[in-house]
Amino acid sequence: MNGLVSLIGAGPGNPELLTLLGKRRLEEADVIVYDRLVNPAMLAPYAAEKIDVGKLPLHHKVSQYQINDMLVDLSKAGKRVARLKAGDPYVFGRGGEEGQYLSKNKIPFEVVPGLTSAIAGLAAAGIPITHRDFASSFHVITGHRKSNGKELDWENIAHQEGTIVFLMGMAQLPTITQELMAHGMADTTPVAVVQWATHWKQRAVSSDLANIVKLVEETKITSPALIVVGGVVQLMGDLQPHQPLQGLHLLIPYKQDSKLCNALQDEGAAVNFFDRRVKRPLAFDLPDFNAGGTLIVIDFAAFHYFQERLLTMGIDNRALTNWKLVACNHIVKYRLQQDGLLADELYDPQKLDYQRPVVFIGEKTALTSYKPAIKADYLATYQSETVDQSIDLNAFHGIVFPSSAAVADLYTGCTSDEQELMRHMRCFAMGQTVADECQKRGLQNVIEVKPSYDNVIQTVRKVFAR
Ligand code: SAH
């Protein structure tokens, strides 16, 4: 049976500006086919296979024909397909054409609308697309000249009463401003350019028709951006949010449902993520449960994979009845307890009379650092792999580290040049252990913060107070 293809609007960029239906479709999808402008942080929570068909302006990665055929082929293979497009799928970006092609090929499809950047992106920069005093209509226009060379009707556009928004217009900005002025629009008409609206790296500048090109050059604002022409631009000053952490760019580790991210964003900070290490489950033999022994848990994730394995064998935690359960530290003990298991004791490297056999359970590389005085077996249930970070650290004012593992993940995933940069960056370490890990890595600008989100926010505010 052909799978449903959903043409989904991702919204302008902030992952939380996706619709609830869009979110459900991404959860249900077997494959997500997404564009260049879709924020990668938005895709992280979903298990589906992800295909990037993003087109860079001059390097067409995958042609529109290939995308159309890909959607049809995936559906015919019975896959549920989420075709994720920036903004609203039917505002430029060729969503209509994809729908037509699916329809022609008798593929079941639907459209899940999204917030278009043309409206929501302006709002994020403090520009209401209409306002009683300035504009009672709006016009969304492509600045991208059509391949058939047909020019826009400048005479008509220059004489509209309402707000004019150009999408895909940055390469044509000089032409756009000249044509509008040449066709009678006052050179003092306010103009704003909003880049990466609602993304963490959003930037906006405003001026007037006569001067915007120069300003854009000076500030190096480039595509993707919205060009807004009209009186509503004057409201930017009044309607821009003025929150305590406004204008700060902070880097934090990725975590699903990140409370830290919400807390910082709610105070106005722009937050981006770095990737955590990837955990790869390993194949392993289970110990002989009948004999009994001591299971020393190095980290909870490792134990979790162990539990999963038990379940696939048709057994559960009760198999450990004759075993002593030893937690490597308080955090592991707490996590085990949350899972309904009380550790018998905390691991003591000096102790020699653990009930045998003794089995250490943990991550493959981490286990090698345990060299106990007693004879022990090692059970590696997963391996953690470094992820190349490739993040422009210069774009951030600071990094918040909630755990020492997060410090290690970012540091080991960076090139040596990036590590050098990181050493001088302002880092907020949540707790003493995390601060110690920062020090161990040679980070020199570390501020230890008591581990609560409130404390992080208060400290960040104090440090960056202008
Ligand atoms: N369907 C999209 C538009 C696709 S055309 C929508 O409804 O928003 C691509 C153009 O949209 C870009 O060249 C840029 O002009 C604009 N755009 C999309 N997202 C943007 C964003 N977050 N910030 C600024 N411009 C954006």
Side-chain angles (χ1 to χ4, degrees):
M1 216 176 79
N2 292 348
L4 175 70
V5 179
S6 305
L7 303 177
I8 304 172
N14 179 335
E16 288 192 308
L17 294 176
L18 173 71
T19 64
L20 293 175
L21 180 57
K23 180 167 181 280
R24 179 150 68 86
R25 288 293 184 255
L26 291 174
E27 282 160 2
E28 292 163 350
D30 297 308
V31 189
I32 300 174
V33 180
Y34 67 99
D35 282 339
R36 181 178 67 96
L37 291 179
V38 169
N39 187 346
M42 171 170 245
L43 300 168
Y46 306 103
E49 182 195 346
K50 289 153 199 161
I51 305 177
D52 175 4
V53 290
K55 288 169 280 173
L56 298 169
L58 297 172
H59 292 269
H60 283 237
K61 261 202 211 157
V62 183
S63 76
Q64 188 62 47
Y65 301 109
Q66 286 171 306
I67 296 174
N68 292 349
D69 286 335
M70 184 188 288
L71 298 178
V72 170
D73 292 347
L74 287 167
S75 164
K76 284 191 171 162
K79 309 265 189 203
R80 290 282 296 249
V81 184
R83 169 69 178 117
L84 190 62
K85 298 171 82 71
D88 181 87
Y90 284 172
V91 177
F92 302 122
R94 308 179 79 165
E97 285 161 69
E98 289 177 16
Q100 282 177 300
Y101 194 78
L102 293 168
S103 169
K104 202 175 90 193
N105 283 277
K106 308 213 166 12
I107 300 294
F109 81 99
E110 63 174 0
V111 61
V112 180
L115 290 174
T116 179
S117 66
I119 299 175
L122 305 197
I127 305 171
I129 198 160
T130 68
H131 187 285
R132 269 167 64 111
D133 298 340
F134 298 101
S136 57
S137 67
F138 57 83
H139 311 268
V140 179
I141 295 167
T142 168
H144 192 72
R145 236 180 292 177
K146 283 196 160 182
S147 49
N148 64 13
K150 203 171 144 216
E151 286 294 334
L152 294 168
D153 180 355
W154 290 110
E155 180 65 21
N156 182 0
I157 297 169
H159 288 92
Q160 294 301 331
E161 167 274 345
T163 306
I164 305 174
V165 184
F166 291 93
L167 268 62
M168 300 179 283
M170 288 308 276
Q172 299 295 324
L173 186 62
T175 314
I176 291 172
T177 52
Q178 278 157 23
E179 292 287 358
L180 290 176
M181 290 187 286
H183 288 86
M185 199 179 261
D187 56 4
T188 52
T189 309
V191 185
V193 174
V194 187
Q195 183 190 29
W196 288 117
T198 81
H199 288 248
W200 69 270
K201 51 191 162 182
Q202 172 177 321
R203 286 168 76 205
V205 292
S206 67
S207 178
D208 56 26
L209 268 185
N211 295 295
I212 190 75
V213 171
K214 196 161 144 268
L215 180 62
V216 162
E217 272 168 19
E218 281 165 11
T219 49
K220 298 194 171 54
I221 292 208
T222 53
S223 186
L226 305 152
I227 302 164
V228 198
V229 183
V232 288
V233 168
Q234 293 168 61
L235 296 165
M236 264 175 106
D238 291 343
L239 298 181
Q240 246 168 17
H242 292 285
Q243 288 158 297
L245 303 187
Q246 200 70 39
L248 275 185
H249 288 177
L250 298 173
L251 189 62
I252 67 171
Y254 177 75
K255 189 165 178 249
Q256 215 166 323
D257 298 326
S258 173
K259 294 200 180 80
L260 176 61
C261 174
N262 294 346
L264 293 166
Q265 276 183 340
D266 288 349
E267 296 287 313
V271 179
N272 195 29
F273 301 105
F274 61 88
D275 291 323
R276 301 303 311 270
R277 286 174 146 242
V278 178
K279 293 190 176 80
R280 299 226 180 279
L282 297 172
F284 56 91
D285 292 327
L286 290 170
D288 173 8
F289 291 112
N290 294 325
T294 304
L295 197 62
I296 302 181
V297 183
I298 304 300
D299 75 83
F300 184 74
F303 187 72
H304 186 71
Y305 288 117
F306 174 75
Q307 281 178 312
E308 276 183 356
R309 182 71 199 286
L310 291 186
L311 291 174
T312 59
M313 307 281 293
I315 45 181
D316 59 23
N317 286 337
R318 287 172 293 178
L320 293 168
T321 308
N322 296 326
W323 286 65
K324 292 277 177 218
L325 194 60
V326 175
C328 170
N329 57 38
H330 284 284
I331 298 172
V332 174
K333 185 177 168 200
Y334 173 72
R335 295 291 304 273
L336 286 169
Q337 193 174 331
Q338 277 186 316
D339 227 44
L341 285 162
L342 290 173
D344 294 291
E345 57 192 286
L346 284 179
Y347 176 55
D348 174 3
Q350 314 297 330
K351 181 171 163 173
L352 300 173
D353 60 349
Y354 283 115
Q355 179 180 317
R356 307 227 176 148
V358 176
V359 180
F360 280 83
I361 180 165
E363 190 274 332
K364 193 172 175 209
T365 320
L367 278 178
T368 57
S369 62
Y370 282 85
K371 299 193 172 61
I374 44 171
K375 185 176 173 306
D377 292 324
Y378 296 100
L379 193 60
T381 61
Y382 76 100
Q383 182 163 22
S384 116
E385 290 171 11
T386 317
V387 178
D388 285 342
Q389 296 291 354
S390 64
I391 284 176
D392 179 10
L393 291 171
N394 281 311
F396 297 91
H397 300 99
I399 312 174
V400 183
F401 290 117
S403 68
S404 37
V407 180
D409 287 0
L410 179 60
Y411 192 83
T412 53
C414 281
T415 62
S416 53
D417 285 351
E418 289 164 346
Q419 288 176 347
E420 178 55 27
L421 248 172
M422 209 175 139
R423 270 180 218 123
H424 303 285
M425 277 182 77
R426 190 73 48 87
C427 297
F428 299 87
M430 295 178 64
Q432 160 103 52
T433 334
V434 187
D436 291 349
E437 180 70 26
C438 290
Q439 201 175 17
K440 197 177 109 196
R441 302 279 171 185
L443 310 189
Q444 291 161 16
N445 200 346
V446 179
I447 297 165
E448 189 188 322
V449 187
K450 283 208 198 80
S452 89
Y453 300 134
D454 270 354
N455 282 320
V456 172
I457 286 163
Q458 296 315 326
T459 314
V460 171
R461 267 176 92 155
K462 246 183 261 161
V463 167
F464 291 105
R466 270 154 292 190

